[in-house]
Amino acid sequence: MNLFLQELRKIWRPGVLAALVALGAVYYYIRPAFYIEYFNNGSQEQADFTLALDWVERYGPTIEQPEREEIGRRLAEEEARFADYAEGNTEMASRGITDFDSFEAFNDISYISDAAYQAAKERGDLALEDHVLYSGETNYFTILELRRFLEAWDGEGLPDPEEGSFGKTRRLDELCRERVRAMREDRMGRSVLPPHVEFSTSTYVRYLAVWCVVSAILLLSPTLVRDRLHRMRPAQWASRRGRRILSVQFMAALVSGLLLTLLNIAIYMVPFVSTGVLAFWRCPLHAVLRSYPWFDWTYGQYLLALAGLVLALSLGASGLTAALSQYSGNYVAMLLKAIPLIVLLTVLGVLVTTFAFYFGNYVTRFLAFPGGEILCAALLLAIGLASCVLACRAQRRREL
């Protein structure tokens, strides 16, 4: 146990930790911070999020028929309020805008063609549109989101499973069609979880996975190289007992990778939770960019599955890094191994975590079956662990 703690201290050096903290802070503010600062990016997303928070508090994670009728009455009230605003607005009245539908028709006409766009701009119609949409004086986006939700609840937001193509192969296409049929008949369209929350979650976790893999490689790369530079290997190889230290070093490397990943997840969760998304913990998954989830998971279960996926990727990277470090005689040699490893595993992390567990995921579409992300992460983890085991066995059999 004392030897194990000594190996942990060799890995968690203050200089290495300071460099990781500085690099991690720069990385966070370059990419992931954007998806927290603009989590509800736009008036429409803000209206959607506000409505969803109210519904999950009043109705629970899903909307049933009586609650759907109440939301329908809310839509009628909001449209009446918009009509009252249009009636009292001289600019809107002069253009024949009397209610929400006529305003939507006015918008459609303004954007039919580039020529119509320029003509509308010269007339000042676009200024009117900007005033109505973004001044905060109207409930335009609330109406828009109420309509969108009710259409999804009624199944109108889902594609027809009998038309179009969903997958890259015939087998995947049929699986996707079965999934869409099940969602049309089930309560997937009745979840109050906003679709943009699913999109932001997927993107945020993708950047988390990339950082977990990179930070694990950077932390563990010098571990066994340092022993060689200090000529500790001959002393260790002088006895059979001394050779077993490599097993302890690999164990310390894997535990360090686990601890670092858990620490990264905890740090990334703090700003993520501050957005209020945990209010949707029990809500069923919905759809994101017309890509639908394979499994009937709640949002909370989805977050736990993503955390497990990131953990497997990071531990696999930790095992590979420790094994490669064993066969590097100096820091330059290890650097030449670490750079390609970072590139390879970063690309793999992006492919695995982008829309993970949805049938729009890159790995799923390539392998043509659901859950391909789990297979890739498990395979990387198995390769990392096997590399450590094989390195230990090879050293024990080495001649003195």
Side-chain angles (χ1 to χ4, degrees):
M1 186 62 181
N2 187 40
L3 180 60
F4 178 75
L5 294 177
Q6 289 179 2
E7 292 299 327
L8 284 180
R9 282 197 293 269
K10 287 166 59 178
I11 294 173
W12 295 83
R13 288 176 171 263
V16 175
L17 293 180
L20 283 178
V21 169
L23 185 61
V26 171
Y27 172 78
Y28 180 81
Y29 284 105
I30 288 177
R31 296 305 299 172
F34 175 86
Y35 291 93
I36 297 299
E37 183 178 357
Y38 299 100
F39 191 80
N40 296 316
N41 188 19
S43 301
Q44 185 170 343
E45 286 75 14
Q46 291 175 5
D48 189 13
F49 196 77
T50 301
L51 287 170
L53 284 178
D54 178 56
W55 292 339
V56 77
E57 182 178 351
R58 295 172 59 187
Y59 306 133
T62 58
I63 300 298
E64 305 303 328
Q65 182 62 41
E67 297 156 352
R68 187 254 184 256
E69 294 174 359
E70 185 174 337
I71 293 174
R73 291 192 292 271
R74 166 80 183 275
L75 174 61
E77 293 172 0
E78 296 291 345
E79 289 178 342
R81 284 179 54 198
F82 188 92
D84 291 340
Y85 175 86
E87 184 179 353
N89 187 295
T90 55
E91 275 193 290
M92 296 176 71
S94 65
R95 291 174 172 83
I97 300 174
T98 58
D99 54 16
F100 184 85
D101 290 329
S102 59
F103 180 71
E104 286 287 85
F106 168 81
N107 288 341
D108 293 340
I109 293 173
S110 298
Y111 289 99
I112 289 176
S113 65
D114 291 338
Y117 179 91
Q118 292 299 326
K121 186 176 180 180
E122 292 174 2
R123 293 195 309 268
D125 290 349
L126 296 182
L128 168 65
E129 178 190 79
D130 292 341
H131 173 73
V132 171
L133 295 186
Y134 304 111
S135 66
E137 295 181 8
T138 72
N139 55 350
Y140 173 82
F141 290 108
T142 299
I143 297 174
L144 208 62
E145 284 307 309
L146 285 170
R147 286 190 171 190
R148 181 202 60 78
F149 179 81
L150 292 178
E151 288 176 358
W153 196 96
D154 295 334
E156 298 176 16
L158 295 175
D160 188 346
E162 308 306 325
E163 296 180 2
S165 178
F166 294 89
K168 290 280 186 180
T169 66
R170 183 174 180 179
R171 179 176 179 273
L172 183 61
D173 185 69
E174 184 55 38
L175 287 173
C176 295
R177 289 177 184 275
E178 291 178 3
R179 185 62 183 150
V180 173
R181 291 190 196 102
M183 285 189 289
R184 289 179 72 95
E185 298 170 359
D186 202 1
R187 83 275 189 263
M188 298 302 293
R190 304 180 183 183
S191 173
V192 301
L193 178 65
H196 78 270
V197 168
E198 295 177 70
F199 174 80
S200 296
T201 300
S202 172
T203 308
Y204 190 71
V205 171
R206 179 178 68 197
Y207 289 120
L208 169 62
V210 169
W211 172 244
C212 286
V213 167
V214 172
S215 62
I217 294 174
L218 295 178
L219 176 68
L220 300 175
S221 290
T223 303
L224 301 180
V225 179
R226 193 180 298 115
D227 284 355
R228 285 198 170 191
L229 291 176
H230 289 80
R231 302 184 181 278
M232 296 179 64
R233 286 289 179 237
Q236 294 170 354
W237 291 346
S239 67
R240 292 292 179 183
R241 183 179 179 84
R243 292 189 178 192
R244 296 178 182 176
I245 192 175
L246 189 61
S247 301
V248 178
Q249 290 176 324
F250 281 145
M251 182 62 66
L254 292 173
V255 170
S256 296
L258 174 63
L259 293 176
L260 181 62
T261 303
L262 294 176
L263 181 62
N264 283 327
I265 292 175
I267 292 173
Y268 269 63
M269 280 299 293
V270 172
F272 186 72
V273 169
S274 68
T275 62
V277 294
L278 292 190
F280 306 111
W281 184 268
R282 296 185 298 112
C283 296
L285 293 183
H286 197 275
V288 51
L289 297 180
R290 297 184 68 80
S291 181
Y292 300 89
W294 285 109
F295 310 108
D296 291 329
W297 283 345
T298 64
Y299 183 64
Q301 292 170 333
Y302 178 61
L303 290 178
L304 294 176
L306 289 177
L309 201 62
V310 171
L311 197 61
L313 291 171
S314 183
L315 284 178
S318 300
L320 281 174
T321 303
L324 291 176
S325 181
Q326 157 69 9
Y327 298 105
S328 301
N330 53 62
Y331 291 127
V332 174
M334 185 59 211
L335 184 64
L336 294 177
K337 297 181 180 72
I339 292 177
L341 186 65
I342 287 175
V343 173
L344 178 64
L345 295 188
T346 296
V347 172
L348 178 64
V350 170
L351 294 177
V352 167
T353 56
T354 300
F355 300 136
F357 309 114
Y358 288 75
F359 60 66
N361 177 261
Y362 298 120
V363 175
T364 295
R365 297 176 69 180
F366 177 76
L367 297 179
F369 69 85
E373 310 94 327
I374 301 174
L375 177 63
C376 284
L379 184 61
L380 175 61
L381 178 59
I383 292 174
L385 297 178
S387 300
C388 295
V389 172
L390 292 176
C392 289
R393 293 183 62 183
Q395 178 164 318
R396 289 183 181 181
R397 293 177 179 179
R398 187 172 177 177
E399 294 294 333
L400 288 173

